[in-house]
Amino acid sequence: MRGKFVTFEGCEGSGKSTQLRYIGEYLKGAGIDFIMSREPGGSEISEDIRKIILNGKYTAMCDECEALLYAASRVQHIKEVIEPALAAGKLVVCDRYVDSSFAYQGYARGLGEEFIESINAFALKNYTPDLTIFLDISPNEAFARKHGADRTDRMESQGPEFHQKVYEGYMQLKKYPRFKCVDCRGTKEETAKKILELLKAENIIG
Ligand code: TYD
């Protein structure tokens, strides 16, 4: 049987990396056959594309190029990693996926939903996630919690207005039944518990 596909989304500072670590430990402990991957990246070629996208020296990169690079990295990741794992019946957990493109490039950059849909048609037609978990905290709250941002790569160094727009972009995605918000303003442990409950309620894990 084909495996399930779960993606995680969130704004910078939402605590996504910590939660993914917890989930990985839980899945391992529970003996569940899974892989954990990330976007942009997840395969050698896609990780190289990631380096180009996030390179701080490419200030001249146009929005369309950025969106297409994310989409290119995604197709390669699907063919090399996601598709084989799903076909082998594994649970695939991915840190960011096409919804990041909707929120960051489609909404915050202003390229629009249709453009993102068209360049991601391959992913959307064949590899729509079974469940997407959005770690819900506004960028302002996340920033305050983190005591400031790292501002290292090309995306992180965008101003607060951009990140607020990204959040608004994510809010538009609530129209998809697979897109579930988890309030992550509490402690790490509280959020981890909510995520596990959701994974169970959605029959992703037993
Ligand atoms: P990363 O360091 O993985 O960010 P995070 O730890 O916040 O997940 O960098 C990925 C960056 O790329 C992040 O700023 C979000 C952005 N991104 C897009 O803009 N569009 C996309 O389609 C994807 C997958 C990521």
Side-chain angles (χ1 to χ4, degrees), residues 8-197:
F8 281 77
E9 298 284 348
C11 295
E12 324 287 322
S14 61
K16 194 161 47 61
S17 309
T18 306
Q19 292 304 328
L20 283 162
R21 230 181 5 257
Y22 283 162
I23 291 161
E25 280 161 23
Y26 177 87
L27 296 174
K28 239 182 251 163
I32 293 169
D33 196 6
F34 76 102
I35 64 153
M36 195 165 280
S37 199
R38 71 163 181 182
E39 288 205 350
S43 78
E44 194 184 357
I45 296 168
S46 304
E47 289 288 337
D48 277 354
I49 298 174
R50 174 190 176 95
K51 285 181 200 146
I52 298 172
I53 304 174
L54 299 181
N55 193 328
K57 80 175 179 194
Y58 293 139
T59 50
M61 187 182 292
C62 70
D63 298 343
E64 288 81 358
C65 174
E66 178 183 289
L68 286 160
L69 286 176
Y70 278 115
S73 141
R74 180 162 301 126
V75 174
Q76 188 66 29
H77 181 216
I78 290 171
K79 294 215 175 177
E80 266 193 80
V81 178
I82 298 178
E83 164 53 27
L86 291 175
K90 294 182 193 200
L91 166 63
V92 174
V93 179
C94 193
D95 180 356
R96 298 194 180 278
Y97 190 60
V98 70
D99 298 313
S100 286
S101 285
F102 280 123
Y104 284 75
Q105 285 70 49
Y107 196 85
R109 296 284 196 216
L111 293 177
E113 195 174 351
E114 263 177 44
F115 181 73
I116 300 304
E117 269 172 0
S118 71
I119 64 173
N120 285 282
F122 176 78
L124 289 167
K125 191 159 165 251
N126 309 292
Y127 302 95
T128 303
D130 296 296
L131 174 67
T132 298
I133 298 182
F134 175 68
L135 295 181
D136 195 350
I137 180 168
S138 74
N140 284 344
E141 286 171 291
F143 186 84
R145 188 167 70 172
K146 231 173 124 187
H147 309 297
D150 305 332
R151 299 182 179 277
T152 46
D153 71 41
R154 210 174 55 79
M155 300 303 288
E156 281 165 352
S157 56
Q158 301 293 319
E161 306 78 28
F162 178 81
H163 292 291
Q164 183 55 37
K165 275 199 127 183
V166 169
Y167 183 76
E168 284 165 25
Y170 274 124
M171 292 299 100
Q172 315 290 315
L173 302 174
K174 284 184 182 175
K175 65 184 173 190
Y176 300 118
R178 69 172 167 83
F179 189 89
K180 308 276 189 219
C181 296
V182 168
D183 183 338
C184 65
R185 290 171 300 176
T187 65
K188 292 172 187 175
E189 290 71 25
E190 282 163 353
T191 302
K193 191 164 170 269
K194 286 183 202 164
I195 292 173
L196 277 183
E197 279 165 7

